[in-house]
Amino acid sequence: MRRPAGRGLAALLVGALALLLPPAAATGAEAPEKWTTSVFARVPSPGAPAYVHAHTNKRVYAGTYAAPDGQASKVFEWTRGGTLVRSWRVPGQDLDGAHGVQVAAQTRTGRLVVLDTTTSRVLTLDVRTGRWRTVATLPEGSVPNYATWAPGGLYVTDYGDGVVHRVTRRGKVTEWLRDPALDGVLGFGTTGIRYLPDERAFLLTQQTLSTGASLPTNGALLRVPLQGRAPGEVEVLWTSQPTDLPDGFGIGRRTGHVYVAMVGPTNRIAEIDPTTGEEVDSFPALPLVGENGSEIPFDSPCNATFLGKDVLVANQSAVQGDASHHAVLRVHVGERGLAPYLPRRATFR
């Protein structure tokens, strides 16, 4: 009988102390303001980071999208706090010309899916063993850019040919979508892609439009429904400002808003409501110079990958080529994101 009484007294004491102590929220640090930007990590040589992938193993990865002649591209691994852990050299590249890779996704078993832009290969990297494997090769001249898992396999955008390719689990490559909306101007083509299982549809970003519906220097956010295994009609949800060059994006879980990085000279991130086509916010308020409040300005920001209530933005410095700007930046947006679709069959045989 004494033990229950002791527990009751302890509970009363805890309750009394709770009344005397200030609320928990008052004891912790205040949440940062929206768009607060800091440096997550600097990217070593060869620099020019591409899409940042937040892995299910709680690590963060990015490939180098450009590398000098004679220097192989690399894939870097960081902790979620931004500490560099290790890196891997990409094998089998032609090092005599421009070359680069993008960590585009992962398999269900944890292997990274890496796209080699100059050999048109789809590779996997086992981060436990360091083993590379070529699982598919796109048609000659293809420039694989971003990828997403969806029913039927891995869907890969082709920056150079206005095509979305489908790669089956056995590595078979087929042309899944070819549409005038994907025909870019002056080589600025199709970039980001995400599959939304609840809508059975894809979202894509297009850097320039040649359809005549807008200025050719305007980009767009597109929606493509999945009808069985075939694509439906391409719909333009939002049109960008001239020279924005929309690139990679993340999707907010609470609002459904799409956060798109503009790799063009406007150097900004746009927040878009895909249901209305409205651009609800943009950062920085003053475009072009990329001043974001951190020690490294936006300089060809090329993606927005959710990590907690922040997005990680790869700073590619594609035009300036400033190695001191090669970094992954952390930008607070105040909501969590939708994780990339990763079904049970998201793997290669």
Side-chain angles (χ1 to χ4, degrees), residues 43-135:
V43 178
S45 179
Y51 172 72
V52 181
H53 177 67
H55 200 288
T56 55
N57 67 4
K58 308 302 182 184
R59 295 291 173 91
V60 172
Y61 299 88
T64 57
Y65 201 69
D69 291 358
Q71 188 172 345
S73 301
K74 290 184 178 180
V75 170
F76 292 101
E77 177 189 72
W78 294 273
T79 67
R80 293 208 167 191
T83 300
L84 181 62
V85 180
R86 51 186 172 165
S87 65
W88 298 267
R89 291 167 55 92
V90 179
Q93 293 184 300
D94 180 1
L95 303 183
D96 292 333
H99 51 281
V101 296
Q102 179 135 289
V103 178
Q106 69 173 89
T107 67
R108 187 61 181 251
T109 57
R111 297 187 180 192
L112 297 181
V113 178
V114 181
L115 306 178
D116 190 340
T117 63
T118 47
T119 63
S120 304
R121 294 178 299 165
V122 179
L123 307 165
T124 58
L125 169 62
D126 188 331
V127 297
R128 297 168 300 177
T129 65
R131 182 188 175 208
W132 291 90
R133 177 186 168 208
T134 299
V135 297

Side-chain angles (χ1 to χ4, degrees), residues 22-340:
T27 63
E30 292 185 4
E33 293 184 3
K34 185 179 179 181
W35 302 123
T36 298
T37 303
S38 60
V39 177
F40 174 79
R42 294 180 181 271
V43 178
S45 179
Y51 172 72
V52 181
H53 177 67
H55 200 288
T56 55
N57 67 4
K58 308 302 182 184
R59 295 291 173 91
V60 172
Y61 299 88
T64 57
Y65 201 69
D69 291 358
Q71 188 172 345
S73 301
K74 290 184 178 180
V75 170
F76 292 101
E77 177 189 72
W78 294 273
T79 67
R80 293 208 167 191
T83 300
L84 181 62
V85 180
R86 51 186 172 165
S87 65
W88 298 267
R89 291 167 55 92
V90 179
Q93 293 184 300
D94 180 1
L95 303 183
D96 292 333
H99 51 281
V101 296
Q102 179 135 289
V103 178
Q106 69 173 89
T107 67
R108 187 61 181 251
T109 57
R111 297 187 180 192
L112 297 181
V113 178
V114 181
L115 306 178
D116 190 340
T117 63
T118 47
T119 63
S120 304
R121 294 178 299 165
V122 179
L123 307 165
T124 58
L125 169 62
D126 188 331
V127 297
R128 297 168 300 177
T129 65
R131 182 188 175 208
W132 291 90
R133 177 186 168 208
T134 299
V135 297
T137 302
L138 304 186
E140 185 177 357
S142 300
V143 183
N145 202 349
Y146 283 81
T148 185
W149 291 101
L154 184 76
Y155 293 74
V156 183
T157 59
D158 190 335
Y159 188 68
D161 194 26
V163 171
V164 176
H165 303 278
R166 182 166 69 92
V167 182
T168 68
R169 297 178 64 213
R170 294 184 180 275
K172 180 182 178 181
V173 179
T174 57
E175 184 179 292
W176 181 73
L177 171 65
R178 182 182 288 274
D179 190 275
L182 305 185
D183 291 334
V185 178
L186 300 175
F188 296 101
T190 312
T191 49
I193 184 170
R194 285 281 298 272
Y195 177 67
L196 303 177
D198 292 344
E199 299 181 22
R200 282 190 59 81
F202 296 84
L203 293 182
L204 298 91
T205 39
Q206 178 72 21
Q207 289 194 341
T208 55
L209 287 170
S210 61
T211 58
S214 63
L215 292 173
T217 53
N218 291 87
L221 176 67
L222 309 174
R223 182 181 186 274
V224 183
L226 182 63
Q227 299 177 345
R229 288 290 188 269
E233 184 176 353
V234 178
E235 177 187 4
V236 177
L237 300 180
W238 164 84
T239 303
S240 79
Q241 298 297 317
T243 73
D244 265 341
L245 303 182
D247 209 89
F249 59 89
I251 304 170
R253 186 191 307 173
R254 175 176 54 82
T255 62
H257 291 176
V258 182
Y259 297 82
V260 185
M262 308 300 173
V263 76
T266 54
N267 288 318
R268 69 188 187 105
I269 298 174
E271 180 184 350
I272 301 157
D273 185 340
T275 60
T276 64
E278 178 187 4
E279 186 174 306
V280 297
D281 205 351
S282 178
F283 178 74
L286 181 65
L288 300 176
V289 295
E291 292 297 337
N292 53 32
S294 80
E295 58 186 291
I296 299 179
F298 288 143
D299 184 359
S300 304
C302 64
N303 79 288
T305 297
F306 271 91
L307 187 69
K309 294 185 178 182
D310 306 326
V311 290
L312 299 181
V313 178
N315 227 24
Q316 203 168 99
S317 192
V319 177
Q320 296 185 37
D322 187 340
S324 69
H325 290 175
H326 289 164
V328 176
L329 305 178
R330 183 194 294 265
V331 183
H332 186 70
V333 296
E335 66 170 317
R336 298 186 183 276
L338 289 176

